[in-house]
């Protein structure tokens, strides 16, 4: 059974930085499209940044220039470097993955396009 474990969240002042990590177990990490989504209380799940199995990236307009997504296939790990954090970035951040063999296009920021999810890590940005 594949497990998805996020880490790296916490409390940070506005303007600060955090790096999130997501480890996905198993032998097929390199074949997954993977991404970061976030959900604030009372709001829907929002796509933040995704990276497909070929290494192409897509970002939400709200985080472009501040967040960077990357993957290390040798470590089964997805990263999200978050700089210049704002209070409106406060949310639960979740990692999602999808097999390239199930879905060829892996750059969607729509949560409904992703089947497999972690439990999330909380990010709180104070003003």
């Amino acid at each position: 059974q594949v497990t998805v474990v996020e880490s790296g969240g916490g409390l940070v002042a506005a303007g600060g930085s955090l790096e999130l990590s997501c480890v996905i177990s198993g032998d097929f990490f390199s074949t997954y499209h993977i991404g970061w989504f976030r959900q604030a209380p009372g709001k829907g799940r929002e796509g933040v940044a995704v990276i497909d199995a070929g290494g192409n990236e897509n970002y939400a307009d709200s985080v472009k220039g501040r967040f960077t997504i990357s993957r290390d296939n040798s470590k089964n790990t997805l990263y999200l470097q978050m700089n210049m954090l704002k209070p409106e970035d406060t949310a639960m951040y979740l990692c999602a993955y999808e097999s390239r063999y199930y879905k060829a296009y892996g750059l969607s920021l729509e949560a409904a396009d992703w089947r497999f999810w972690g439990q999330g890590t909380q990010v709180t940005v104070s003003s």
Side-chain angles (χ1 to χ4, degrees):
Q1 181 163 345
V2 176
T3 60
V4 182
V5 180
E6 302 98 330
S7 62
L11 174 64
V12 63
S17 297
L18 280 175
E19 183 179 64
L20 306 183
S21 299
C22 170
V23 177
I24 303 175
S25 68
D27 297 330
F28 302 101
F29 182 87
S30 64
T31 68
Y32 296 153
H33 309 308
I34 38 181
W36 289 101
F37 294 75
R38 65 188 180 187
Q39 188 163 17
K43 295 190 176 181
R45 199 163 286 186
E46 173 192 22
V48 175
V50 298
I51 183 167
D52 69 12
N56 303 296
E57 303 166 16
N58 190 22
Y59 295 90
D61 288 343
S62 60
V63 306
K64 282 180 182 176
R66 300 189 298 124
F67 291 10
T68 302
I69 191 171
S70 61
R71 63 190 295 166
D72 186 338
N73 290 341
S74 69
K75 296 181 179 180
N76 279 28
T77 303
L78 172 71
Y79 302 97
L80 185 69
Q81 177 65 44
M82 305 186 294
N83 299 326
M84 295 181 287
L85 282 160
K86 304 175 181 180
E88 51 263 44
D89 294 318
T90 294
M92 181 70 75
Y93 282 71
L94 304 105
C95 177
Y97 75 95
E98 183 56 83
S99 170
R100 68 184 300 178
Y101 302 114
Y102 181 80
K103 186 163 289 190
Y105 181 69
L107 294 176
S108 171
L109 292 171
E110 295 293 330
D113 290 332
W114 299 76
R115 291 185 295 163
F116 305 106
W117 295 84
Q119 295 298 308
T121 185
Q122 178 67 37
V123 172
T124 302
V125 184
S126 62
S127 57

